[in-house]
Amino acid sequence: MMARMLPIPLSLEAMEAAPVRELPVGPSWQYEPKWDGFRCMAFRDRGSVHLQSKSGQSLDRYFPEVLAALGALPLTRFVMDGELVIPVSGGLSFSQLQMRLHPAASRVLRLSRETPARYMVFDWLAEGGRTLLTTPLGERRTRLEAVAASAFPGSTGSVVLSPMSLERSVAQGWVDGGVAGLDGAIAKHRDAAYQAGVRDPSVMVKVKRIRTADCVVGGFRYGTGSTQVGSLLLGLYDAAGLLHHVGFTASIAHADRPALTKRLDRLRGPSRFTGRAPGAPSRWSTERSSAWEPVAPSLVVEVAFDHVTDERFRHGTKLLRFRTDKKPVRCTIDQIAPLALPAKPGQGVTALRASKTLKKRTAVATVRSSRAPPATRPQAHRNAMRRRS
């Protein structure tokens, strides 16, 4: 029924952002935070509400509190584009989002009460019986702000207007390492229509925030069907001196693999992962998780990474260099700790205000930054359901 009544079908694909190294400059662009959450389209036709991931899968049963909040809005028919996030102390939790993808309705309901999700709305695609897909973004944003001011004002409810700025310097602050929970910045051309399913760099781009860490090489895996190293297993020490497996890097230059393999072979021995070890059960486990070779923890590498979940790199990292100048014991897990919120009240995630221009740059935490290409996404089921902007 909903698909027939709304002017936009439920099969509508989300507009994509093309990855770039630098934010575009000019008055025709607007900038938005890139949230670390699930991309989600919200459809409502009178009493019927539907949440849909970017892959076209229903998210209704996993976020009952957001469904209820959208159903309680003083609007009877609309289509929104936004991001589902879960605020926690100190920022946002992607791990809590993944926990929602659970088959037990009772557990989902309990989590919805303990850690309620928030829907960050950044585009207004249909209202009543009228589609806005061909309307320029600038006009869609103006209408969205007017709707938000009356229907869901404030920044702490279940439905929140995602901030926007016309100042590139503000967006650059989001990229360089600002508020916890942000994944970088998005730039959108204000004269553009909504291009469903399209990734056009002249219309919408993204710059991801990249951090670096120095890690111990605690093991390696051979390449598939090869006698040469395919990936390095990375470790970090905690405060108690335990070495935890935190991820891997496979971006090893082919010319370097023969010599590196010989070097690693000389270091082979018993496992020195005294904390979490490769192959332990996790949402990232695969059939190859236990096929690895332990080595003495004497090599240190610097890697670039984007996301950390449960003290582990969510994606494969980019190998930047070997650190012969750094002692392995100095490679500590605090390097990948979540970025802290600024100390001053009113400058955290909940303080990002929705307006045409954010004239005050958000306070930032210092992190080392690098422009590494986007990492390959894991293939696990839960991450497959994750739809990011």
Side-chain angles (χ1 to χ4, degrees), residues 174-246:
W174 298 332
V175 174
D176 290 340
V179 179
L182 295 191
D183 189 23
I186 299 283
K188 300 176 181 177
H189 202 286
R190 289 176 60 79
D191 295 332
Y194 191 90
Q195 299 186 19
V198 174
R199 192 189 300 270
D200 185 346
S202 69
V203 172
M204 180 176 172
V205 299
K206 61 184 177 183
V207 175
K208 296 178 66 175
R209 184 172 64 193
I210 304 297
R211 299 164 65 189
T212 67
D214 297 323
C215 299
V216 178
V217 177
F220 71 97
R221 290 193 177 98
Y222 289 107
T224 303
S226 173
T227 58
Q228 295 184 2
V229 59
S231 62
L232 303 176
L233 305 184
L234 308 175
L236 290 172
Y237 290 97
D238 66 13
L242 299 178
L243 182 61
H244 296 278
H245 176 234
V246 294

Side-chain angles (χ1 to χ4, degrees), residues 28-285:
S28 59
W29 293 93
Q30 73 176 43
Y31 308 98
E32 302 172 10
K34 187 177 187 301
W35 299 102
D36 185 19
F38 289 172
R39 181 76 176 273
C40 177
M41 308 282 284
F43 300 80
R44 179 181 173 184
D45 182 31
R46 298 183 174 86
S48 299
V49 184
H50 176 60
L51 299 176
Q52 184 165 286
S53 75
K54 198 167 69 172
S55 64
Q57 298 173 343
S58 173
L59 297 175
D60 293 352
R61 69 181 303 273
Y62 304 117
F63 299 94
E65 74 279 31
V66 176
L67 276 182
L70 290 169
L73 294 179
L75 308 163
T76 59
R77 190 180 298 169
F78 58 78
V79 179
M80 299 175 177
D81 193 359
E83 192 100 355
L84 287 167
V85 300
I86 292 185
V88 296
S89 177
L92 303 177
S93 174
F94 186 76
S95 179
Q96 290 289 340
L97 279 172
Q98 290 179 309
M99 290 173 64
R100 288 296 189 88
L101 307 180
H102 195 278
S106 58
R107 179 174 178 178
V108 171
L109 183 60
R110 175 173 60 82
L111 291 175
S112 72
R113 293 168 178 165
E114 294 176 353
T115 54
R118 183 173 296 166
Y119 186 47
M120 307 299 296
V121 186
F122 48 68
D123 214 335
W124 187 245
L125 306 182
E127 182 175 0
R130 178 191 173 204
T131 176
L132 302 176
L133 293 179
T134 59
T135 302
L137 172 63
E139 296 180 28
R140 298 202 308 272
R141 178 69 193 196
T142 298
R143 180 55 188 157
L144 173 59
E145 291 177 352
V147 169
S150 60
F152 46 94
S155 59
T156 59
S158 296
V159 182
V160 174
L161 176 65
S162 185
M164 182 274 289
S165 177
L166 298 180
E167 298 181 13
R168 185 180 183 276
S169 61
V170 173
Q172 191 61 51
W174 298 332
V175 174
D176 290 340
V179 179
L182 295 191
D183 189 23
I186 299 283
K188 300 176 181 177
H189 202 286
R190 289 176 60 79
D191 295 332
Y194 191 90
Q195 299 186 19
V198 174
R199 192 189 300 270
D200 185 346
S202 69
V203 172
M204 180 176 172
V205 299
K206 61 184 177 183
V207 175
K208 296 178 66 175
R209 184 172 64 193
I210 304 297
R211 299 164 65 189
T212 67
D214 297 323
C215 299
V216 178
V217 177
F220 71 97
R221 290 193 177 98
Y222 289 107
T224 303
S226 173
T227 58
Q228 295 184 2
V229 59
S231 62
L232 303 176
L233 305 184
L234 308 175
L236 290 172
Y237 290 97
D238 66 13
L242 299 178
L243 182 61
H244 296 278
H245 176 234
V246 294
F248 72 95
T249 184
S251 59
I252 307 167
H254 286 284
D256 297 336
R257 296 190 182 213
L260 180 57
T261 302
K262 292 180 181 179
R263 189 177 183 185
L264 292 168
D265 281 338
R266 291 194 294 268
L267 296 173
R268 288 172 62 175
S271 174
R272 306 293 181 86
F273 284 109
T274 50
R276 293 184 304 275
S282 79
R283 61 178 62 93
W284 292 273
S285 295

Side-chain angles (χ1 to χ4, degrees), residues 209-213 303-308 313 317 335-336:
R209 184 172 64 193
I210 304 297
R211 299 164 65 189
T212 67
V303 298
F305 65 96
D306 52 4
H307 294 289
V308 172
F313 300 128
T317 64
Q335 297 177 87
I336 64 173

